[in-house]
Amino acid sequence: MSQHSPAVELIVAELPHLEWIVGGPALKRLSRDFSWFSPVLARELDGKIADAVVCPQTEDEIRSVVAACARNNIPLTVRGSGTGNYGQSTPLYGGIIVELSRFNQFLWNENGVARAQAGIRLGDLETTVRAGGWELRWLPSTYRTATLGGLFSGGFGGVGSINNGPVAATGNVLGIKIMTIEAEPKIIELRAPEALSLNHFYGTNGLVLELEVALAPAHAWLENVVVFDSFDTALDFADTLANSPGVTKRAVTFLADPVPGYLKTLQAYLLPDCHAVLTIVAEQSEPALIQLIGQFGGQRRYRANQEEVLASGHTLIECMWNHTTLHALKIDKKLTYIQSSFQPDDHLRQVRELERLLAGEVLTHLEFIRLRNGRMTCNGLQLIRFTTEERLNELMQIFRDHGVSIANPHVFIVEDGKQGKVDPAAVAAKRQFDPKGLLNPGKMRGWDAVAEHS
């Protein structure tokens, strides 16, 4: 524990019945997430560490920590499994990390709606609701360890977003239960749409205890890898498949050469210099998938049904979304990535134009999704051959100049990742639920501006 945190020492002594981590490798590990994906964040967050970590299991235990921190003006950073990429779990000003992975109870599932505590792992929640014929509307590639609260507070979507859009799409999150950061904490239930004012704000404006989410009917899924010689043909196939309403699907991922080469678990099924489309479709849609593969001249090199996936323990989900980035960075540490969103109806032209312009420096990885308004497009998690921070920023600006939105993954302030846009509703929520500004301070520009003028 830091010698400069006597107030934290007093809180630890005041609550000896709780599980505390006050030093050693675990303290450093729990002060980190996957922000090392970014060489910029790796540098800027180096050395940032909590004074202590607490691992509560009950609401009363959380309440006791929150009350003590509010009385003593100690910063609080709430985390789940730390699978985020933007430094969400790294405290800028020390204080106490509240690690919620033990606050993980499934509460109920009724008529296609489930409720659970924030620390439940998404894989466990998926298994539980599947027993009743339902499944989650989105699974990030980190679903085995990522938590429900973590996805809501720091994530975007995942497998399933091709049907249901991101987490924030209307009808996905129905309600949340939060605790205010005060000496006498209050419990508040927020229903949609007010609940969404806390979505993807890194836990800066509310401590989420429970979430109520809509589910989707469960399907028996079939995982496939289809390869092509041509970038353009593979892209057209992926787009046609994504837009085929008669094909029940859960994911369509486009990986341009050389990205498939980084997926070592799939090398036996790939061809040299190929472009790959990874897709998850319902078993009853297999004939339609085969028809489209033939139409575009692709080769299906891998097929695994649900039973085979479960038996092997390997799933294409862990080759999609940011797991692709993880696989690549394990092989080439000079790589990094960006996040982009192409415009519906113009996305194919934009993809091709940027591929021609930046091929070799920017490696194309696309995930087909529905936007919040229901329109189909693709989002990019492009790999970047990193040289300098200046060039990285230039590349992101080139995308913007071509009409492609960028969610900058190389900044730790929420609004900076969203083109500097301040959300008044999110700031108002922080004013109400965290009046002293103790939650994950330094990461919400809108609040800092309020604090400067108050």
Side-chain angles (χ1 to χ4, degrees):
M1 187 187 301
S2 168
Q3 296 179 349
H4 304 290
S5 57
V8 174
E9 292 179 3
L10 289 174
I11 291 173
V12 174
E14 178 187 333
L15 302 170
H17 59 291
L18 301 185
E19 181 181 344
W20 291 95
I21 298 169
V22 295
L27 182 65
K28 183 176 181 180
R29 176 177 60 82
L30 292 170
S31 298
R32 293 287 181 271
D33 55 20
F34 280 71
S35 58
W36 59 267
F37 277 22
S38 164
V40 179
L41 291 180
R43 183 193 72 241
E44 292 186 345
L45 298 176
D46 184 45
K48 303 295 185 183
I49 191 168
D51 295 302
V53 175
V54 66
C55 307
Q57 298 185 52
T58 68
E59 188 174 302
D60 285 343
E61 290 181 350
I62 297 171
R63 182 190 302 272
S64 65
V65 174
V66 167
C69 287
R71 289 195 304 269
N72 292 279
N73 295 316
I74 299 298
L76 278 164
T77 301
V78 183
R79 66 167 272 151
S81 298
T83 56
N85 303 6
Y86 321 119
Q88 298 106 313
S89 301
T90 299
L92 301 180
Y93 302 106
I96 292 174
I97 287 177
V98 183
E99 202 271 5
L100 288 183
S101 65
R102 294 168 179 80
F103 188 69
N104 59 5
Q105 296 301 301
F106 174 79
L107 300 174
W108 50 259
N109 173 17
E110 297 175 4
N111 194 31
V113 176
R115 191 171 179 111
Q117 292 177 337
I120 194 169
R121 291 186 176 185
L122 292 163
D124 295 336
L125 181 55
E126 169 91 346
T127 298
T128 300
V129 299
R130 267 193 165 270
W134 299 92
E135 63 188 27
L136 295 183
R137 292 191 173 190
W138 2 252
L139 277 183
S141 62
T142 53
Y143 73 96
R144 295 186 198 267
T145 54
T147 63
L148 180 61
L151 176 62
F152 176 78
S153 298
F156 172 75
V159 169
S161 289
I162 194 168
N163 301 315
N164 308 300
V167 172
T170 301
N172 283 337
V173 176
L174 304 178
I176 60 174
K177 177 182 178 181
I178 68 168
M179 179 179 290
T180 63
I181 311 303
E182 301 174 284
E184 296 292 335
K186 296 187 285 290
I187 300 298
I188 298 175
E189 178 79 14
L190 292 177
R191 308 302 297 177
E194 288 75 20
L196 274 300
S197 64
L198 277 68
N199 170 243
H200 210 282
F201 270 88
Y202 303 0
T204 58
N205 62 350
L207 196 168
V208 179
L209 298 172
E210 298 176 6
L211 295 102
E212 189 174 313
V213 298
L215 305 171
H219 290 277
W221 295 109
L222 188 69
E223 301 192 355
N224 309 269
V225 177
V226 186
V227 302
F228 298 84
D229 295 329
S230 161
F231 178 99
D232 287 330
T233 305
L235 179 63
D236 286 337
F237 167 79
D239 185 66
T240 301
L241 176 60
N243 282 283
S244 295
V247 180
T248 302
K249 63 196 80 73
R250 207 177 192 191
V252 175
T253 300
F254 171 66
L255 305 176
D257 179 53
V259 179
Y262 294 115
L263 303 176
K264 293 306 180 185
T265 59
L266 296 180
Q267 290 312 294
Y269 311 106
L270 300 172
L271 295 174
D273 306 319
C274 72
H275 308 278
V277 177
L278 316 184
T279 184
I280 302 175
V281 303
E283 288 187 357
Q284 70 268 23
S285 290
E286 185 173 20
L289 175 65
I290 293 171
Q291 175 187 329
L292 288 175
I293 293 171
Q295 178 182 332
F296 286 89
Q299 296 183 53
R300 181 165 63 166
R301 302 280 297 179
Y302 174 82
R303 174 194 185 276
N305 63 30
Q306 192 159 291
E307 292 74 21
E308 291 166 335
V309 169
L310 290 172
S312 71
H314 298 291
T315 170
L316 288 185
I317 294 173
E318 292 175 316
C319 295
M320 298 171 166
W321 290 83
N322 244 337
H323 249 72
T324 309
T325 314
L326 177 62
H327 290 301
L329 266 61
K330 285 182 176 180
I331 294 171
D332 186 350
K333 292 181 169 53
K334 294 181 180 179
L335 293 171
T336 186
Y337 78 116
I338 59 173
Q339 298 177 152
S340 60
S341 183
F342 294 84
Q343 296 302 311
D345 300 330
D346 198 30
H347 56 290
L348 297 185
R349 184 194 64 80
Q350 291 175 322
V351 169
R352 290 188 168 102
E353 194 169 277
L354 287 160
E355 172 69 12
R356 288 192 296 269
L357 187 63
L358 300 171
E361 186 177 13
V362 177
L363 313 182
T364 299
H365 165 199
L366 305 174
E367 299 287 347
F368 283 81
I369 72 162
R370 291 194 182 279
L371 300 178
R372 292 176 63 176
N373 62 11
R375 299 182 71 188
M376 185 70 72
T377 186
C378 54
N379 276 13
L381 290 162
Q382 292 89 347
L383 294 168
I384 304 292
R385 298 194 190 280
F386 181 76
T387 52
T388 66
E389 184 177 347
E390 181 182 29
R391 179 56 179 166
L392 180 62
N393 289 328
E394 286 176 355
L395 289 171
M396 288 189 282
Q397 189 57 47
I398 289 170
F399 273 75
R400 296 185 190 104
D401 292 344
H402 283 76
V404 180
S405 299
I406 291 289
N408 187 350
H410 303 283
V411 292
F412 57 74
I413 294 176
V414 178
E415 294 92 339
D416 289 358
K418 302 177 179 181
Q419 314 305 318
K421 297 177 182 176
V422 172
D423 184 343
V427 176
K430 186 170 180 69
R431 185 182 292 111
Q432 180 179 359
F433 308 133
D434 178 27
K436 290 187 173 183
L438 298 178
L439 281 173
N440 215 351
K443 297 179 184 174
M444 189 177 186
R445 190 175 302 283
W447 174 260
D448 292 341
V450 169
E452 285 179 10
H453 294 92
S454 61

